[in-house]
Amino acid sequence: MRLILLFLICLVLAACSTRDLQGTLGGATAQRLVTHSIDDLVRSIEDEKLDALEGKNVYINSYFLSDSPLKAYADKRLAIELESRFGINVVATQEESEQVMTAFYTSLGTDLDNFGIAIPFGYVPGVAENTQLNIITLEKFHGIAEMYYYIGETGSENRSQVLQAKVKTDALGLPFITIPLSNIDRHESLF
């Protein structure tokens, strides 16, 4: 009876939701999630003010919490989208520009949500702190990119709406097996 009671207490205590903010892009899935979200973000830009800048020199002045490879990637992807879709000439210095785009990235990263019942094993000596045995969980791994920007002569005029893109992959976590519910494969036709 005590063993059953102990097991039920463990289940009740372990039935929770957790969110793990990913600090690094340690795997291909995390890298694909965040780069696809950046791609979706810049593809979603629709702005009449940008349409009017066709053929003009524009300097991109961007900000994020820190200079990182993600910010550099997002900047380059934004520049290519402005050049190819809006016909804007992106220039290297503000002195060369006729207009300035000041972009604020509010999110460039991944997060992992777990909902359900799992038994934690982090308290066992020699086992990693976040080790757990899934009884039944929904694992949601997201890549998120979010930004807003100003466009104008000084880059402080004409604020855009906040733009956001999420790319996700979900899985059902069971004891000793994880079953994918969605994937992030994107195969675009070259023809």
Side-chain angles (χ1 to χ4, degrees), residues 55-116:
K56 296 206 176 190
N57 293 336
V58 176
Y59 173 70
I60 299 173
N61 188 19
S62 68
Y63 297 93
F64 189 49
L65 298 174
S66 64
D67 280 333
S68 68
L70 278 179
K71 179 186 173 292
Y73 180 89
D75 286 346
K76 188 62 174 176
R77 183 63 187 88
L78 176 62
I80 288 173
E81 191 73 14
L82 294 175
E83 290 171 344
S84 65
R85 205 166 97 216
F86 295 99
I88 293 171
N89 300 319
V90 176
V91 294
T93 66
Q94 190 167 350
E95 291 74 31
E96 302 173 70
S97 71
E98 299 168 69
Q99 299 282 315
V100 176
M101 172 184 262
T102 303
F104 291 92
Y105 300 112
T106 53
S107 179
L108 296 171
T110 60
D111 65 24
L112 175 63
D113 293 331
N114 283 320
F115 302 98

Side-chain angles (χ1 to χ4, degrees), residues 139-160:
E139 300 172 359
K140 300 170 85 175
F141 197 18
H142 298 189
I144 301 169
E146 186 177 88
M147 73 175 287
Y148 63 93
Y149 59 88
Y150 293 86
I151 190 84
E153 287 184 24
T154 67
S156 61
E157 306 90 354
N158 305 309
R159 184 175 193 248
S160 73

